[in-house]
């Protein structure tokens, strides 16, 4: 009888554990092109030069924007379809690309103008967010998870 109880307990723990799982995206996949959260300001400037527009910590380039704080890229975002994530997801794709590429989202927020899907890195230090409007990816944000 004790063996049956132990087996039932182990099954319950396994089921509970599987329901608490998250997408666990490799941190190297949380980037846009060659820009990633945690990149140094110096590396950003060496790779892309000066921004088109700069307002304090907010820097605007032709196809992306970054927030730079204390010499580190905190966030990179785009609404352009010319820049992709390392695994090829881009603005303008159907939202189905998210599940097939990243798996089930860690967090889903429904707004009046669309849906936001969030995925966290395996170590939870970074996240990538996709704004989806009418089933199409409209914006991508990669940031340090605070």
């Amino acid at each position: 009888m004790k063996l049956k109880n132990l087996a039932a307990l182990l099954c319950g723990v396994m089921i509970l554990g599987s329901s608490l799982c998250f997408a666990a995206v490799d941190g190297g996949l949380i980037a846009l092109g060659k820009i990633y959260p945690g990149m140094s300001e110096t590396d950003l400037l060496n790779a892309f030069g000066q921004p088109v527009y700069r307002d304090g910590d907010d820097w605007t380039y032709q196809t992306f924007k970054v927030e730079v704080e204390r010499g580190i890229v905190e966030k990179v975002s785009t609404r352009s379809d010319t820049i992709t994530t390392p695994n090829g997801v881009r603005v303008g794709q159907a939202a189905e690309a998210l599940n097939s590429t990243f798996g089930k989202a860690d967090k889903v927020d429904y707004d009046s103008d669309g849906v936001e899907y969030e995925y966290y890195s395996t170590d939870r230090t970074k996240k990538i967010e996709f704004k989806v409007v009418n089933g199409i990816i409209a914006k991508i944000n990669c940031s340090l998870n605070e």
Side-chain angles (χ1 to χ4, degrees), residues 10-74:
L10 287 174
C11 285
V13 168
M14 289 172 53
I15 290 169
L16 177 63
S18 67
S19 69
L20 298 175
C21 290
F22 51 90
V25 175
D26 180 273
L29 296 177
I30 299 182
L32 286 171
K34 296 182 180 182
I35 312 114
Y36 57 90
M39 173 183 221
S40 75
E41 177 181 337
T42 302
D43 288 345
L44 176 69
L45 290 170
N46 287 339
F48 298 97
Q50 291 294 324
V52 175
Y53 178 75
R54 192 171 176 172
D55 181 18
D57 294 340
D58 298 324
W59 299 12
T60 302
Y61 286 84
Q62 203 156 30
T63 59
F64 63 93
K65 293 181 179 185
V66 294
E67 287 180 24
V68 179
E69 294 182 25
R70 299 174 304 281
I72 299 293
V73 173
E74 294 278 327

Side-chain angles (χ1 to χ4, degrees), residues 8-135:
L9 177 64
L10 287 174
C11 285
V13 168
M14 289 172 53
I15 290 169
L16 177 63
S18 67
S19 69
L20 298 175
C21 290
F22 51 90
V25 175
D26 180 273
L29 296 177
I30 299 182
L32 286 171
K34 296 182 180 182
I35 312 114
Y36 57 90
M39 173 183 221
S40 75
E41 177 181 337
T42 302
D43 288 345
L44 176 69
L45 290 170
N46 287 339
F48 298 97
Q50 291 294 324
V52 175
Y53 178 75
R54 192 171 176 172
D55 181 18
D57 294 340
D58 298 324
W59 299 12
T60 302
Y61 286 84
Q62 203 156 30
T63 59
F64 63 93
K65 293 181 179 185
V66 294
E67 287 180 24
V68 179
E69 294 182 25
R70 299 174 304 281
I72 299 293
V73 173
E74 294 278 327
K75 180 178 181 180
V76 56
S77 62
T78 191
R79 292 182 182 272
S80 172
D81 64 359
T82 63
I83 189 169
T84 68
T85 65
N87 47 8
V89 176
R90 69 177 67 231
V91 168
Q93 281 184 306
E96 287 81 25
L98 300 178
N99 280 336
S100 62
T101 305
F102 292 98
K104 184 180 177 186
D106 293 309
K107 183 177 177 186
V108 179
D109 284 329
Y110 296 90
D111 297 334
S112 61
D113 62 338
V115 183
E116 288 183 4
Y117 297 88
E118 291 184 14
Y119 300 86
Y120 299 98
S121 63
T122 52
D123 63 2
R124 308 290 279 185
T125 61
K126 298 178 184 178
K127 68 180 175 177
I128 186 166
E129 300 170 275
F130 297 89
K131 177 70 172 197
V132 174
V133 178
N134 297 322

